[in-house]
Amino acid sequence: MYEGYITDVKGIKVGHAEDIKGGTGVTVIIPPSGNSCAVEVRGSAPGTRETDLLNPVNTVESVNALILSGGSAYGLNASSGVMQALEEDGLGLDVGVGIVPIVPQAVLFDLAYKDYKCRPDSNMGKLAYKNAGINENRQGIVGAGTGATVGKILGMDKSMKSGLGSASICQRNLVVSAMVAVNAFGDIYDYEKGKQIAGPIDDGKIIKTVDVMGKIINDFSDLADKNTTIGIVSTNAKFDKTKLTKIAQMTHDGFARSINPVHTGFDGDTIFALSTNEIEADLNMVGVMAANAMSRAIANAIYATNKKESIDLI
């Protein structure tokens, strides 16, 4: 597997909480103060919170935490626990009469994986926040990746298990890192090795989703809103929200290289872009590095979950 974790960007903390039996979880990313954050949503079925706030024309520049979680729209409740914990720690936007923590979130659909009634809640969110640290480096079936699956066109029983992946790319003192919970409708590719590493299973072999789609043609309604790949790219370079929005857009190239099909009507693909604003760097360079880091992180989600480059059925 590739090396690197999003905590390679100095000051970023990561915390996970999950219910393995229930098949869902939460990942919380806590950046240092003085950060900038933006977002780009490309899938047509997103589940998000506070993403409008990250639009470059809107006021708030920094976030206190970012959340990736399972649970579909129910999972948005995890942010309540994170907000409570941040308030207790005195972290948030000063509004005169108190503080309001800024906590954007994106969710994926994992309700069909194990227990539909098991969803991230405020307690799980708060636990993930409390677990956050700079030494976290786990990948696979952890946090938001706990209930992730891919290649679902033939149904859950013929899909493959996925999870959470992360990767970093460094150029001298510039660090660009990605973290992603891979819950795609489509297949997963190791972009750098040029091979498919996950997808639907038929007769014990991985097949291509697009080949199956060509035979179905008319009705994919049973698959609607049951997917979504959500991630974060972070860097120690200095960028405002406008430039980070461009970086988030470029990072979606990493999705396109490693997931096929991607950005469908069945996915809510979302990427946050986060800067800790420490060093000067070229936007284009960082955007290219971000897309590459995301591709590596997507492959890592498969490798870390299955522990080897082979087929593992759910």
PDB file of all heavy atoms in Angstrom, residues 42 187 189 191 250-263 269 271 291 294-295 298:
ATOM      1  N   ARG A  42     -19.809  17.252  -6.998  1.00  0.00           N
ATOM      2  CA  ARG A  42     -19.974  16.850  -8.397  1.00  0.00           C
ATOM      3  C   ARG A  42     -21.055  15.788  -8.582  1.00  0.00           C
ATOM      4  O   ARG A  42     -21.610  15.657  -9.661  1.00  0.00           O
ATOM      5  CB  ARG A  42     -18.647  16.335  -8.958  1.00  0.00           C
ATOM      6  CG  ARG A  42     -17.571  17.407  -9.107  1.00  0.00           C
ATOM      7  CD  ARG A  42     -17.764  18.240 -10.362  1.00  0.00           C
ATOM      8  NE  ARG A  42     -16.795  19.330 -10.458  1.00  0.00           N
ATOM      9  CZ  ARG A  42     -15.644  19.250 -11.093  1.00  0.00           C
ATOM     10  NH1 ARG A  42     -15.284  18.118 -11.677  1.00  0.00           N
ATOM     11  NH2 ARG A  42     -14.844  20.297 -11.150  1.00  0.00           N
ATOM     12  N   ASP A 187     -16.685   1.186 -10.413  1.00  0.00           N
ATOM     13  CA  ASP A 187     -15.509   0.375 -10.165  1.00  0.00           C
ATOM     14  C   ASP A 187     -14.351   1.241  -9.683  1.00  0.00           C
ATOM     15  O   ASP A 187     -14.321   2.447  -9.931  1.00  0.00           O
ATOM     16  CB  ASP A 187     -15.082  -0.342 -11.450  1.00  0.00           C
ATOM     17  CG  ASP A 187     -16.240  -1.048 -12.135  1.00  0.00           C
ATOM     18  OD1 ASP A 187     -17.150  -1.513 -11.423  1.00  0.00           O
ATOM     19  OD2 ASP A 187     -16.222  -1.112 -13.383  1.00  0.00           O
ATOM     20  N   TYR A 189     -10.107   1.818  -9.661  1.00  0.00           N
ATOM     21  CA  TYR A 189      -8.881   1.552 -10.389  1.00  0.00           C
ATOM     22  C   TYR A 189      -7.674   2.099  -9.629  1.00  0.00           C
ATOM     23  O   TYR A 189      -7.754   3.153  -9.002  1.00  0.00           O
ATOM     24  CB  TYR A 189      -8.930   2.203 -11.776  1.00  0.00           C
ATOM     25  CG  TYR A 189      -9.937   1.561 -12.698  1.00  0.00           C
ATOM     26  CD1 TYR A 189     -11.291   1.855 -12.577  1.00  0.00           C
ATOM     27  CD2 TYR A 189      -9.537   0.652 -13.662  1.00  0.00           C
ATOM     28  CE1 TYR A 189     -12.227   1.246 -13.405  1.00  0.00           C
ATOM     29  CE2 TYR A 189     -10.472   0.041 -14.494  1.00  0.00           C
ATOM     30  CZ  TYR A 189     -11.814   0.342 -14.363  1.00  0.00           C
ATOM     31  OH  TYR A 189     -12.738  -0.273 -15.173  1.00  0.00           O
ATOM     32  N   TYR A 191      -4.856   3.951 -10.401  1.00  0.00           N
ATOM     33  CA  TYR A 191      -4.491   4.790 -11.540  1.00  0.00           C
ATOM     34  C   TYR A 191      -3.026   4.628 -11.921  1.00  0.00           C
ATOM     35  O   TYR A 191      -2.672   4.552 -13.103  1.00  0.00           O
ATOM     36  CB  TYR A 191      -4.811   6.246 -11.205  1.00  0.00           C
ATOM     37  CG  TYR A 191      -4.261   7.257 -12.181  1.00  0.00           C
ATOM     38  CD1 TYR A 191      -4.784   7.369 -13.466  1.00  0.00           C
ATOM     39  CD2 TYR A 191      -3.214   8.106 -11.816  1.00  0.00           C
ATOM     40  CE1 TYR A 191      -4.287   8.304 -14.361  1.00  0.00           C
ATOM     41  CE2 TYR A 191      -2.713   9.042 -12.703  1.00  0.00           C
ATOM     42  CZ  TYR A 191      -3.248   9.145 -13.973  1.00  0.00           C
ATOM     43  OH  TYR A 191      -2.757  10.064 -14.856  1.00  0.00           O
ATOM     44  N   MET A 250     -10.022  20.543  -9.212  1.00  0.00           N
ATOM     45  CA  MET A 250      -8.955  19.750  -9.815  1.00  0.00           C
ATOM     46  C   MET A 250      -8.810  18.393  -9.130  1.00  0.00           C
ATOM     47  O   MET A 250      -8.475  17.389  -9.778  1.00  0.00           O
ATOM     48  CB  MET A 250      -7.630  20.516  -9.760  1.00  0.00           C
ATOM     49  CG  MET A 250      -7.609  21.778 -10.612  1.00  0.00           C
ATOM     50  SD  MET A 250      -6.054  22.708 -10.486  1.00  0.00           S
ATOM     51  CE  MET A 250      -4.942  21.630 -11.404  1.00  0.00           C
ATOM     52  N   THR A 251      -9.083  18.348  -7.839  1.00  0.00           N
ATOM     53  CA  THR A 251      -8.975  17.088  -7.100  1.00  0.00           C
ATOM     54  C   THR A 251     -10.000  16.075  -7.577  1.00  0.00           C
ATOM     55  O   THR A 251      -9.772  14.856  -7.498  1.00  0.00           O
ATOM     56  CB  THR A 251      -9.136  17.339  -5.592  1.00  0.00           C
ATOM     57  OG1 THR A 251      -8.202  18.342  -5.172  1.00  0.00           O
ATOM     58  CG2 THR A 251      -8.863  16.069  -4.790  1.00  0.00           C
ATOM     59  N   HIS A 252     -11.128  16.558  -8.081  1.00  0.00           N
ATOM     60  CA  HIS A 252     -12.121  15.640  -8.636  1.00  0.00           C
ATOM     61  C   HIS A 252     -11.565  14.857  -9.835  1.00  0.00           C
ATOM     62  O   HIS A 252     -12.115  13.803 -10.188  1.00  0.00           O
ATOM     63  CB  HIS A 252     -13.390  16.386  -9.028  1.00  0.00           C
ATOM     64  CG  HIS A 252     -14.389  16.510  -7.917  1.00  0.00           C
ATOM     65  ND1 HIS A 252     -15.222  15.480  -7.550  1.00  0.00           N
ATOM     66  CD2 HIS A 252     -14.681  17.537  -7.094  1.00  0.00           C
ATOM     67  CE1 HIS A 252     -15.990  15.865  -6.548  1.00  0.00           C
ATOM     68  NE2 HIS A 252     -15.685  17.119  -6.247  1.00  0.00           N
ATOM     69  N   ASP A 253     -10.482  15.355 -10.440  1.00  0.00           N
ATOM     70  CA  ASP A 253      -9.827  14.567 -11.482  1.00  0.00           C
ATOM     71  C   ASP A 253      -9.313  13.249 -10.905  1.00  0.00           C
ATOM     72  O   ASP A 253      -9.266  12.228 -11.599  1.00  0.00           O
ATOM     73  CB  ASP A 253      -8.668  15.350 -12.104  1.00  0.00           C
ATOM     74  CG  ASP A 253      -9.139  16.541 -12.924  1.00  0.00           C
ATOM     75  OD1 ASP A 253     -10.346  16.605 -13.251  1.00  0.00           O
ATOM     76  OD2 ASP A 253      -8.308  17.401 -13.235  1.00  0.00           O
ATOM     77  N   GLY A 254      -8.917  13.277  -9.642  1.00  0.00           N
ATOM     78  CA  GLY A 254      -8.493  12.051  -8.972  1.00  0.00           C
ATOM     79  C   GLY A 254      -9.627  11.048  -8.868  1.00  0.00           C
ATOM     80  O   GLY A 254      -9.424   9.836  -9.016  1.00  0.00           O
ATOM     81  N   PHE A 255     -10.842  11.556  -8.607  1.00  0.00           N
ATOM     82  CA  PHE A 255     -12.022  10.687  -8.626  1.00  0.00           C
ATOM     83  C   PHE A 255     -12.199  10.084 -10.018  1.00  0.00           C
ATOM     84  O   PHE A 255     -12.424   8.877 -10.170  1.00  0.00           O
ATOM     85  CB  PHE A 255     -13.272  11.492  -8.260  1.00  0.00           C
ATOM     86  CG  PHE A 255     -13.538  11.650  -6.792  1.00  0.00           C
ATOM     87  CD1 PHE A 255     -12.536  11.547  -5.858  1.00  0.00           C
ATOM     88  CD2 PHE A 255     -14.826  11.925  -6.343  1.00  0.00           C
ATOM     89  CE1 PHE A 255     -12.787  11.701  -4.500  1.00  0.00           C
ATOM     90  CE2 PHE A 255     -15.106  12.077  -4.990  1.00  0.00           C
ATOM     91  CZ  PHE A 255     -14.070  11.965  -4.062  1.00  0.00           C
ATOM     92  N   ALA A 256     -12.116  10.941 -11.038  1.00  0.00           N
ATOM     93  CA  ALA A 256     -12.390  10.491 -12.404  1.00  0.00           C
ATOM     94  C   ALA A 256     -11.362   9.475 -12.887  1.00  0.00           C
ATOM     95  O   ALA A 256     -11.690   8.593 -13.683  1.00  0.00           O
ATOM     96  CB  ALA A 256     -12.429  11.695 -13.337  1.00  0.00           C
ATOM     97  N   ARG A 257     -10.116   9.584 -12.437  1.00  0.00           N
ATOM     98  CA  ARG A 257      -9.082   8.630 -12.837  1.00  0.00           C
ATOM     99  C   ARG A 257      -9.258   7.268 -12.164  1.00  0.00           C
ATOM    100  O   ARG A 257      -8.840   6.254 -12.719  1.00  0.00           O
ATOM    101  CB  ARG A 257      -7.704   9.174 -12.461  1.00  0.00           C
ATOM    102  CG  ARG A 257      -7.276  10.400 -13.234  1.00  0.00           C
ATOM    103  CD  ARG A 257      -6.064  11.023 -12.573  1.00  0.00           C
ATOM    104  NE  ARG A 257      -5.674  12.257 -13.244  1.00  0.00           N
ATOM    105  CZ  ARG A 257      -4.832  13.143 -12.717  1.00  0.00           C
ATOM    106  NH1 ARG A 257      -4.317  12.924 -11.515  1.00  0.00           N
ATOM    107  NH2 ARG A 257      -4.512  14.230 -13.390  1.00  0.00           N
ATOM    108  N   SER A 258      -9.861   7.270 -10.986  1.00  0.00           N
ATOM    109  CA  SER A 258      -9.857   6.061 -10.158  1.00  0.00           C
ATOM    110  C   SER A 258     -11.218   5.435  -9.947  1.00  0.00           C
ATOM    111  O   SER A 258     -11.307   4.337  -9.371  1.00  0.00           O
ATOM    112  CB  SER A 258      -9.245   6.401  -8.785  1.00  0.00           C
ATOM    113  OG  SER A 258      -7.925   6.887  -8.955  1.00  0.00           O
ATOM    114  N   ILE A 259     -12.290   6.102 -10.372  1.00  0.00           N
ATOM    115  CA  ILE A 259     -13.645   5.576 -10.219  1.00  0.00           C
ATOM    116  C   ILE A 259     -14.351   5.660 -11.569  1.00  0.00           C
ATOM    117  O   ILE A 259     -14.363   6.714 -12.198  1.00  0.00           O
ATOM    118  CB  ILE A 259     -14.449   6.377  -9.181  1.00  0.00           C
ATOM    119  CG1 ILE A 259     -13.738   6.400  -7.823  1.00  0.00           C
ATOM    120  CG2 ILE A 259     -15.861   5.804  -9.030  1.00  0.00           C
ATOM    121  CD1 ILE A 259     -14.357   7.358  -6.818  1.00  0.00           C
ATOM    122  N   ASN A 260     -14.948   4.562 -12.004  1.00  0.00           N
ATOM    123  CA  ASN A 260     -15.672   4.565 -13.279  1.00  0.00           C
ATOM    124  C   ASN A 260     -16.860   3.603 -13.208  1.00  0.00           C
ATOM    125  O   ASN A 260     -16.681   2.436 -12.914  1.00  0.00           O
ATOM    126  CB  ASN A 260     -14.750   4.143 -14.421  1.00  0.00           C
ATOM    127  CG  ASN A 260     -15.419   4.281 -15.780  1.00  0.00           C
ATOM    128  OD1 ASN A 260     -16.121   5.254 -16.040  1.00  0.00           O
ATOM    129  ND2 ASN A 260     -15.231   3.299 -16.633  1.00  0.00           N
ATOM    130  N   PRO A 261     -18.091   4.159 -13.479  1.00  0.00           N
ATOM    131  CA  PRO A 261     -18.414   5.564 -13.729  1.00  0.00           C
ATOM    132  C   PRO A 261     -18.366   6.379 -12.438  1.00  0.00           C
ATOM    133  O   PRO A 261     -18.433   5.824 -11.336  1.00  0.00           O
ATOM    134  CB  PRO A 261     -19.833   5.505 -14.296  1.00  0.00           C
ATOM    135  CG  PRO A 261     -20.414   4.263 -13.711  1.00  0.00           C
ATOM    136  CD  PRO A 261     -19.280   3.285 -13.601  1.00  0.00           C
ATOM    137  N   VAL A 262     -18.263   7.701 -12.578  1.00  0.00           N
ATOM    138  CA  VAL A 262     -18.165   8.591 -11.423  1.00  0.00           C
ATOM    139  C   VAL A 262     -19.098   9.771 -11.634  1.00  0.00           C
ATOM    140  O   VAL A 262     -19.536  10.049 -12.755  1.00  0.00           O
ATOM    141  CB  VAL A 262     -16.703   9.060 -11.236  1.00  0.00           C
ATOM    142  CG1 VAL A 262     -16.293  10.029 -12.342  1.00  0.00           C
ATOM    143  CG2 VAL A 262     -16.465   9.654  -9.858  1.00  0.00           C
ATOM    144  N   HIS A 263     -19.447  10.467 -10.539  1.00  0.00           N
ATOM    145  CA  HIS A 263     -20.301  11.663 -10.593  1.00  0.00           C
ATOM    146  C   HIS A 263     -21.653  11.362 -11.240  1.00  0.00           C
ATOM    147  O   HIS A 263     -22.211  12.189 -11.966  1.00  0.00           O
ATOM    148  CB  HIS A 263     -19.605  12.794 -11.358  1.00  0.00           C
ATOM    149  CG  HIS A 263     -18.283  13.195 -10.793  1.00  0.00           C
ATOM    150  ND1 HIS A 263     -17.243  13.640 -11.583  1.00  0.00           N
ATOM    151  CD2 HIS A 263     -17.824  13.213  -9.523  1.00  0.00           C
ATOM    152  CE1 HIS A 263     -16.198  13.928 -10.818  1.00  0.00           C
ATOM    153  NE2 HIS A 263     -16.533  13.677  -9.558  1.00  0.00           N
ATOM    154  N   ASP A 269     -20.875  12.676  -4.854  1.00  0.00           N
ATOM    155  CA  ASP A 269     -19.432  12.892  -4.719  1.00  0.00           C
ATOM    156  C   ASP A 269     -19.079  14.321  -4.304  1.00  0.00           C
ATOM    157  O   ASP A 269     -19.423  15.283  -4.981  1.00  0.00           O
ATOM    158  CB  ASP A 269     -18.741  12.557  -6.031  1.00  0.00           C
ATOM    159  CG  ASP A 269     -19.011  11.119  -6.468  1.00  0.00           C
ATOM    160  OD1 ASP A 269     -19.112  10.252  -5.587  1.00  0.00           O
ATOM    161  OD2 ASP A 269     -19.107  10.883  -7.679  1.00  0.00           O
ATOM    162  N   ILE A 271     -15.878  16.813  -2.375  1.00  0.00           N
ATOM    163  CA  ILE A 271     -14.506  16.980  -1.899  1.00  0.00           C
ATOM    164  C   ILE A 271     -14.356  18.341  -1.222  1.00  0.00           C
ATOM    165  O   ILE A 271     -14.661  19.379  -1.810  1.00  0.00           O
ATOM    166  CB  ILE A 271     -13.481  16.877  -3.050  1.00  0.00           C
ATOM    167  CG1 ILE A 271     -13.514  15.478  -3.669  1.00  0.00           C
ATOM    168  CG2 ILE A 271     -12.075  17.195  -2.529  1.00  0.00           C
ATOM    169  CD1 ILE A 271     -12.586  15.338  -4.868  1.00  0.00           C
ATOM    170  N   ALA A 291      -4.894  15.969  -7.012  1.00  0.00           N
ATOM    171  CA  ALA A 291      -5.560  14.934  -7.795  1.00  0.00           C
ATOM    172  C   ALA A 291      -4.815  13.608  -7.692  1.00  0.00           C
ATOM    173  O   ALA A 291      -5.425  12.539  -7.567  1.00  0.00           O
ATOM    174  CB  ALA A 291      -5.676  15.372  -9.251  1.00  0.00           C
ATOM    175  N   MET A 294      -5.360  12.107  -4.239  1.00  0.00           N
ATOM    176  CA  MET A 294      -6.693  11.529  -4.116  1.00  0.00           C
ATOM    177  C   MET A 294      -6.771  10.173  -4.801  1.00  0.00           C
ATOM    178  O   MET A 294      -7.381   9.232  -4.280  1.00  0.00           O
ATOM    179  CB  MET A 294      -7.740  12.487  -4.678  1.00  0.00           C
ATOM    180  CG  MET A 294      -9.181  12.011  -4.484  1.00  0.00           C
ATOM    181  SD  MET A 294      -9.634  11.718  -2.737  1.00  0.00           S
ATOM    182  CE  MET A 294      -9.774  13.419  -2.137  1.00  0.00           C
ATOM    183  N   SER A 295      -6.156  10.055  -5.983  1.00  0.00           N
ATOM    184  CA  SER A 295      -6.138   8.760  -6.657  1.00  0.00           C
ATOM    185  C   SER A 295      -5.456   7.705  -5.795  1.00  0.00           C
ATOM    186  O   SER A 295      -5.933   6.568  -5.680  1.00  0.00           O
ATOM    187  CB  SER A 295      -5.418   8.869  -8.007  1.00  0.00           C
ATOM    188  OG  SER A 295      -6.242   9.475  -8.973  1.00  0.00           O
ATOM    189  N   ILE A 298      -7.747   6.692  -2.902  1.00  0.00           N
ATOM    190  CA  ILE A 298      -8.838   5.817  -3.324  1.00  0.00           C
ATOM    191  C   ILE A 298      -8.344   4.376  -3.441  1.00  0.00           C
ATOM    192  O   ILE A 298      -9.006   3.438  -2.979  1.00  0.00           O
ATOM    193  CB  ILE A 298      -9.436   6.316  -4.654  1.00  0.00           C
ATOM    194  CG1 ILE A 298     -10.205   7.624  -4.419  1.00  0.00           C
ATOM    195  CG2 ILE A 298     -10.358   5.261  -5.268  1.00  0.00           C
ATOM    196  CD1 ILE A 298     -10.610   8.339  -5.693  1.00  0.00           C
TER     197      ILE A 298
END
